[in-house]
Structures are given as structure tokens and as C-alpha cells.
Amino acid sequence: MASNDTELFQDFCKRWINREVNRHFRDVSETDPDGLSRSVPRQLIKRICLHKDKDTMSLTIGRLLIWWVEARGLFDEFIYGIPSTDFEIKHTYYPQVQLFFMEERYTAADNDRVPVRSRVSFRWRENDYTTSNINALALKIDNDFARPPFRYTKGRKCWTYWDDEKGYRFTVYVQAESDAKSLISQVINLQDTGTPDWDSKLREHLDGVNYALPGTVRVMGETKRKPRKRPIAEVKFAYAELFIPGVVKPIVLVDRTGTKAGALNYS
């Protein structure tokens, strides 16, 4: 029995928050914090989130912060602009697969910036959302993008590839045409075979802007540097999600970060 409010709060966290943590990380069978790995990402995060009897109050609060921000994805909200239920009623479309790429954290830190991110999406031409079909898609992405991690140099040049017949409309920002072709062909290969029609469908777009110089703006008498657009960085595949009409939250197909709960494949 707790003898004061501090113990009452910590007992509550150990009993109820730990239950939710174990449910969230149900793919990690170990429930004893000391038995979880310090080097495997999902085990490490679960270990950090689980409350212990000997925790100090500051550590208890720290575990709660990690739980809500990192593990629960507090900032991973899905913004449609209108309520998602209304959007689903008014629009008909194929499921969407989104592939996410990210710069290595240590490389970003060396360049004094947050990690550069990138996202490429396509419409999955499938109407039968069976377990076998979705697992096959996840396995294909795992093999083609995660083992080994697909990487390319994100940059300042804009290339588009439009194929209305097959439903592709890619816009990618890279440093070289070869990167654009490599990325686009790798994505197309997830559901189509053959060489893309580069001659008629691939285009470079030049706008004359010097993105190496972000410029400045005056705010209340002070000069502020504008955010740098189109940074140059090598990004690697991080995870992939499948958005299906009628399903509010996406299905995590593949995860290399170890932070996505319930992923079909962890690499």
C-alpha cells in the first residue's frame, strides 16, 4: 500500500502504464526490463518505457515522456485537411504505399542539422486486402529496400516521372539523374516489371533558384536566416506503411527503425 502521493503515482505507472507498454510491444515477449537487450532498438525502447519499483520520480517522468513521444508516436498524426471519415466517403482510390527514408542521425549531427527525411509513395493496384497479399507486398519491400538498406542522395534537382496509364506520378529531389532513375525504377518494380519509359516520361524541372543560399528575412529589427530548402544528404530506407481506404491508421509493412509497433517485418 502506497504511503504517500509519490508512491501512489509510481505504483499507478508500474501497474497500468506497464500493462499498456507490454501490450504496445507485444511482439517483444520479454516483460522483465532487466532481461531486455540494450542494443536491439525495440527491446531497448521497451526497457526504457517499463517502470521499476526503485525508480526515482525524475526517472518515472522520463519514462512517461519516452513512452508518449517516442513509442506512441505522439507527432505521427495523419492530417487530411478534412475529417478522415468524410474524406473516405467522398473519394474512391487505391491503397497507398508510402516509403520513408532518413539520413543517419550521426551524419546529421556532424552537419549541425536534424536528419534529412524523404518520402516516396505509389498507389497499390490491389482490391483484395488478404493477409497473404499484404504479407507478400511487405516481403517484397523488405527484400528490395531493407536488405540491404536502399540509399540515394537527396538533393536540389527536381525530376518527375508520370505514367497515367499505370497510375504513377513521382516527384523526386536528387543530385543526379541516375539517383532519380534508381529510386523510381526500384519503386515501380514492387508491382510492375520491365524498364520504365525514361525517354517520354522522365523530366527534369529547372526553376532557376539557388538553393545553396537560403537568404535572410528581417523580423522585428533582427535578421533571421530562412530555412534551408532541398538539403543535400544521403538518405536510407527507414520504414514503409500501407494506407487502405476505410482504415484510419496505416499498416506498418516494414520497419528498420525499431520504433513502429506491430510491423509485419522488422529488419
Side-chain angles (χ1 to χ4, degrees):
M1 180 68 67
S3 60
N4 54 56
D5 286 345
T6 298
E7 291 185 2
L8 183 64
F9 176 58
Q10 291 177 315
D11 286 348
F12 170 84
C13 290
K14 189 170 184 298
R15 179 178 180 183
W16 298 105
I17 301 299
N18 279 5
R19 186 178 70 172
E20 292 303 311
V21 171
N22 283 317
R23 180 182 300 172
H24 180 76
F25 291 96
R26 55 186 175 273
D27 54 294
V28 180
S29 58
E30 179 63 67
T31 58
D32 178 10
D34 294 329
L36 292 164
S37 172
R38 297 171 182 264
S39 57
V40 179
R42 279 190 67 74
Q43 291 194 36
L44 173 61
I45 297 174
K46 183 175 181 179
R47 179 178 183 138
I48 292 173
C49 291
L50 286 171
H51 296 269
K52 302 178 183 180
D53 286 328
K54 60 184 179 180
D55 287 349
T56 62
M57 179 56 74
S58 60
L59 185 54
T60 296
I61 295 173
R63 294 192 194 283
L64 287 173
L65 288 173
I66 294 296
W67 165 237
W68 285 106
V69 176
E70 180 70 21
R72 292 299 300 271
L74 182 62
F75 303 114
D76 291 341
E77 298 295 334
F78 310 108
I79 301 173
Y80 288 82
I82 60 176
S84 60
T85 51
D86 292 348
F87 187 90
E88 301 287 358
I89 292 171
K90 295 178 181 178
H91 298 81
T92 300
Y93 51 88
Y94 279 116
Q96 184 185 51
V97 177
Q98 293 190 358
L99 307 172
F100 296 84
F101 302 81
M102 186 184 302
E103 181 185 18
E104 291 284 0
R105 294 183 184 275
Y106 293 117
T107 303
D110 289 341
N111 288 279
D112 193 25
R113 65 184 178 214
V114 296
V116 173
R117 298 171 183 265
S118 178
R119 180 180 63 183
V120 178
S121 64
F122 68 95
R123 294 294 176 180
W124 187 39
R125 299 191 305 273
E126 180 60 66
N127 293 309
D128 193 3
Y129 313 136
T130 62
T131 300
S132 60
N133 282 347
I134 293 176
N135 281 335
L137 173 64
L139 181 61
K140 179 67 172 173
I141 294 174
D142 192 37
N143 289 334
D144 289 3
F145 282 89
R147 302 174 186 271
F150 182 88
R151 64 187 70 199
Y152 72 96
T153 301
K154 183 177 180 180
R156 298 179 177 135
K157 298 180 180 179
C158 177
W159 291 82
T160 60
Y161 182 91
W162 286 14
D163 186 340
D164 290 337
E165 181 180 347
K166 294 183 178 179
Y168 294 125
R169 286 204 169 192
F170 296 112
T171 300
V172 297
Y173 298 94
V174 296
Q175 274 302 94
E177 180 180 353
S178 58
D179 279 323
K181 288 183 175 180
S182 175
L183 176 60
I184 292 169
S185 61
Q186 191 86 341
V187 176
I188 289 177
N189 186 60
L190 291 173
Q191 64 178 345
D192 288 303
T193 58
T195 302
D197 184 1
W198 302 125
D199 292 337
S200 64
K201 295 180 172 60
L202 183 69
R203 292 288 182 270
E204 182 180 10
H205 298 265
L206 303 174
D207 56 14
V209 177
N210 184 359
Y211 291 100
L213 300 175
T216 60
V217 62
R218 295 284 290 178
V219 180
M220 298 180 68
E222 295 185 14
T223 301
K224 304 288 185 181
R225 177 177 292 182
K226 292 181 179 180
R228 187 179 298 277
K229 296 183 179 180
R230 300 189 188 181
I232 300 174
E234 182 184 74
V235 293
K236 296 198 300 185
F237 174 75
Y239 62 95
E241 296 178 334
L242 171 63
F243 294 77
I244 297 178
V247 180
V248 176
K249 286 196 173 184
I251 298 172
V252 182
L253 300 173
V254 182
D255 177 33
R256 287 190 58 254
T257 67
T259 63
K260 300 295 179 180
L264 299 182
N265 290 276
Y266 289 100
S267 298

